[in-house]
Amino acid sequence: MKTYAEWQHLSRTLTFNGQAYINGKFQPPQRGEYFPSVNPATEEHLADIAACDETDIDLAVQAASTAFQNGEWSNAAPKQRKQVLLKLADLIEAHQEELALTDTLDMGKPISEMMSIDLPDTIDCFRWTAECIDKVYGEIAPTGPDTLALIKREPVGVVGAITPWNYPLMMIAWKIAPALAAGNSVVLKPSEKASLSAIRLAQLASEAGIPAGVLNVVPGSGQTAGKALALHKDVQVLAFTGSTAVAALLMQYAGQSNMKRVWLEAGGKSPNLIFADCTDIEAAATSAAAAIFSNQGEVCIACSRVYVEKKIKAPFLEALLKAAEHFQPGDPLNPSTTMGPMVDRAQLATVERYIESARNEGGNLLMGGASDYLPGNGFYATPTIVSDATNDMTFVKDEIFGPVLAVGEFETEEEAIALANDSAYGLGAAVWTGNLSRAHRVSDKLQCGMVWVNTWGEGDTTVPFGGVKASGNGRDKSLHALDKYTDLKNVLIRL
Ligand code: NAD
């Protein structure tokens, strides 16, 4: 791992291309408009990004559709697509420092997290998915002796992917690796707050051998480029990660256009249940701090609600406050930094607003509070812990997407489950207990897509990621991700 000085040096030498990438080449936006990308740690201008609109989206979809129809990728043997995607994984690995630095400069995540989480996960996602694709079989249905019914998986055509800024490259990998592996063409609209790594990835994909038009990247605002992609009638599947509010809009756009299938990975307000029978209060507290303060709390699966059993509340809070000290905002280029700035001024203002509302609604501020933002110094928030939190408080109900932890309490297992499930969201949940039966019992009753027992946030490319309720539908990662990007066709032959 490079030193602070080395990362600083590398950041001064890096140059960026902010153009769209359509049909295998860089392309300026048709209307010639650009918007700035700003480094949230310094507020310095990084690059000008193409502000694509309906015309650019249409060009990209046409390129994707033509590429799909010509069959060079969609009709290639799975083994052949595997080789190209493995090459892409190798290229990402060879350029991992550049890509990690790009996302850090673009959205503020500590470089150490980029190098230890985002890049390894991205590379693994491409490699694992590539390796799977020539091992997925069709089926023969048990119809009886007079007919032969084949169930085949086919690529859907053009996949539109719309992604967020909090794990820019990794969220893109989770969508496009299975979509490409299955033989689809992709039009990707990355977040306007972190587009640079997506554009670079498209270039690397061409270098790896992905044919022109199969992966197109069209940066721009959600309201213009994102909406145009979601409304486009030649897009068959829309794969989205982002907020619940935008997810709901995409379902409407699908209905207004061609009933495209919409897969949604949306927001969260995940609970963390700490039972008195947990075997290690300190471990639970250390994990609870990481579950809200890592990546500045800009994590969909952040456990932003902790409920602790009343009889261990005092020692748990003491351990939690100590563990939280590990997270100090600092320059994300310094490998020892544990928390970077918020992505922009608006996100910092949201955090400040919720801290104010927590105070006004009777929360007990144990740590942190308002930031002391000065223009030009970066959008740094302070790790904040509020106890005496109850589920009727606004900051306990809403996803804040920042380093603000609500701590409430419970007395019985039933109460803990009820508090955890009392949320519009259902992404993840953590349970800390030394009792195996309780771990199973509670996990089964939690309304969410992922449960972590005596840990938080752990996953693997082999296991599905996603939620229920307002947290979305469909799953990224694992073989189940392929379901989103394939159609089942049944061919029945009378014998
Ligand atoms: P966002 O919803 O504001 O934006 C996500 C994407 O949607 C961006 O590319 C944006 O440009 C686009 N968009 C915005 N308005 C649009 C519109 N009208 N039509 C089409 N596209 C539009 O979310 P964000 O701020 O980028 O990301 C944070 C959110 O993402 C949080 O809610 C977080 O929980 C969620 N998230 C979820 C997961 C998951 O797997 N469930 C993972 C990461 C982040």
Side-chain angles (χ1 to χ4, degrees):
M1 176 78 158
K2 285 191 156 34
T3 63
Y4 187 15
E6 286 167 338
W7 285 116
Q8 285 174 311
H9 174 73
L10 194 57
S11 73
R12 285 190 290 270
T13 62
L14 216 55
T15 54
F16 302 107
N17 192 328
Q19 305 289 10
Y21 198 83
I22 298 175
N23 212 10
K25 51 184 187 298
F26 286 113
Q27 188 123 334
Q30 298 297 302
R31 280 194 204 153
E33 284 174 18
Y34 292 82
F35 63 94
S37 158
V38 171
N39 177 347
T42 59
E43 300 181 43
E44 282 164 5
H45 176 267
L46 268 184
D48 286 324
I49 313 285
C52 294
D53 64 11
E54 295 81 355
T55 324
D56 305 288
I57 290 288
D58 194 44
L59 278 177
V61 175
Q62 276 178 33
S65 199
T66 305
F68 186 77
Q69 280 155 28
N70 81 24
E72 188 183 347
W73 183 255
S74 55
N75 235 349
K79 199 178 278 182
Q80 208 177 322
R81 291 200 296 266
K82 171 174 98 170
Q83 293 308 337
V84 174
L85 290 170
L86 286 176
K87 175 96 187 292
L88 177 55
D90 290 347
L91 282 172
I92 296 170
E93 190 165 42
H95 291 86
Q96 59 179 313
E97 290 185 343
E98 175 203 338
L99 290 163
L101 190 54
T102 301
D103 275 352
T104 287
L105 294 172
D106 216 1
M107 56 67 69
K109 181 196 301 272
I111 191 72
S112 52
E113 279 197 36
M114 278 307 308
M115 291 298 288
S116 62
I117 298 171
D118 298 47
L119 262 301
D121 188 295
T122 300
I123 296 161
D124 189 43
C125 180
F126 275 104
R127 253 186 211 141
W128 189 86
T129 314
E131 283 293 355
C132 288
I133 204 63
D134 62 349
K135 297 162 193 77
V136 181
Y137 292 76
E139 296 165 25
I140 296 176
T143 50
D146 300 332
T147 51
L148 174 65
L150 309 171
I151 303 174
K152 302 176 168 196
R153 265 180 195 280
E154 297 185 333
V156 298
V158 179
V159 171
I162 301 183
T163 53
W165 47 266
N166 64 334
Y167 289 82
L169 200 58
M170 191 169 120
M171 291 299 106
I172 288 168
W174 289 8
K175 307 285 181 222
I176 75 170
L180 292 173
N184 299 287
S185 295
V186 174
V187 177
L188 165 67
K189 207 298 283 173
S191 168
E192 56 273 51
K193 298 181 186 182
S195 322
L196 291 167
S197 59
I199 299 167
R200 182 73 179 108
L201 181 68
Q203 215 185 355
L204 293 177
S206 286
E207 202 178 320
I210 297 217
V214 170
L215 174 62
N216 308 276
V217 177
V218 199
S221 78
Q223 288 81 358
T224 304
K227 185 174 176 182
L229 184 60
L231 281 170
H232 204 293
K233 291 196 170 149
D234 294 330
V235 172
Q236 280 78 34
V237 162
L238 199 59
F240 171 78
T241 298
S243 64
T244 293
V246 173
L249 281 177
L250 298 188
M251 296 177 98
Q252 293 181 26
Y253 299 154
Q256 287 161 16
S257 50
N258 58 342
M259 281 176 63
K260 56 180 70 64
R261 240 171 300 154
V262 184
W263 298 112
L264 306 166
E265 305 293 334
K269 191 77 190 180
S270 299
N272 192 346
L273 303 178
I274 321 288
F275 286 92
D277 61 12
C278 77
T279 53
D280 186 343
I281 290 187
E282 268 183 31
T286 303
S287 174
I292 184 66
F293 298 133
S294 46
N295 204 31
Q296 312 78 243
E298 295 167 333
V299 181
C300 56
I301 54 167
C303 279
S304 45
R305 300 183 288 145
V306 159
Y307 300 99
V308 56
E309 193 166 339
K310 204 168 176 181
K311 54 183 135 167
I312 59 158
K313 187 176 172 188
F316 174 78
L317 280 180
E318 194 185 329
L320 176 66
L321 290 171
K322 197 156 159 251
E325 282 168 20
H326 172 71
F327 293 91
Q328 301 291 338
D331 185 350
L333 289 182
N334 186 340
S336 63
T337 291
T338 47
M339 244 179 91
M342 306 309 292
V343 72
D344 59 13
R345 178 70 187 115
Q347 194 67 22
L348 179 59
T350 301
V351 169
E352 287 168 341
R353 206 174 57 246
Y354 276 109
I355 293 173
E356 195 50 36
S357 104
R359 273 212 186 96
N360 293 339
E361 292 184 32
N364 180 15
L365 191 72
L366 295 182
M367 180 182 202
S371 65
D372 41 14
Y373 172 71
L374 289 172
N377 281 4
F379 310 118
Y380 289 97
T382 319
T384 297
I385 300 176
V386 183
S387 73
D388 301 343
T390 51
N391 280 7
D392 54 346
M393 295 178 181
T394 314
F395 88 110
V396 184
K397 284 192 232 171
D398 293 1
E399 180 183 47
I400 302 173
F401 221 52
V404 183
L405 177 61
V407 184
E409 61 182 41
F410 64 88
E411 287 187 81
T412 65
E413 186 178 302
E414 290 67 32
E415 197 190 347
I417 294 165
L419 285 167
N421 287 340
D422 176 26
S423 170
Y425 296 101
L427 193 50
V431 181
W432 288 81
T433 177
N435 179 330
L436 187 62
S437 299
R438 167 171 278 160
H440 282 291
R441 217 167 37 229
V442 175
S443 302
D444 286 350
K445 288 189 182 147
L446 287 168
Q447 297 164 353
C448 58
M450 296 167 281
V451 180
W452 300 281
V453 177
N454 297 332
T455 182
W456 165 77
E458 282 189 64
D460 194 78
T461 314
T462 57
V463 292
F465 186 106
V468 300
K469 295 159 84 176
S471 294
N473 56 30
R475 296 293 181 270
D476 283 332
K477 302 166 80 176
S478 83
L479 285 178
H480 295 284
L482 292 173
D483 297 342
K484 303 202 292 193
Y485 307 109
T486 50
D487 274 322
L488 289 181
K489 180 180 276 175
N490 135 33
V491 178
L492 189 142
I493 304 166
R494 173 145 294 281
L495 300 175

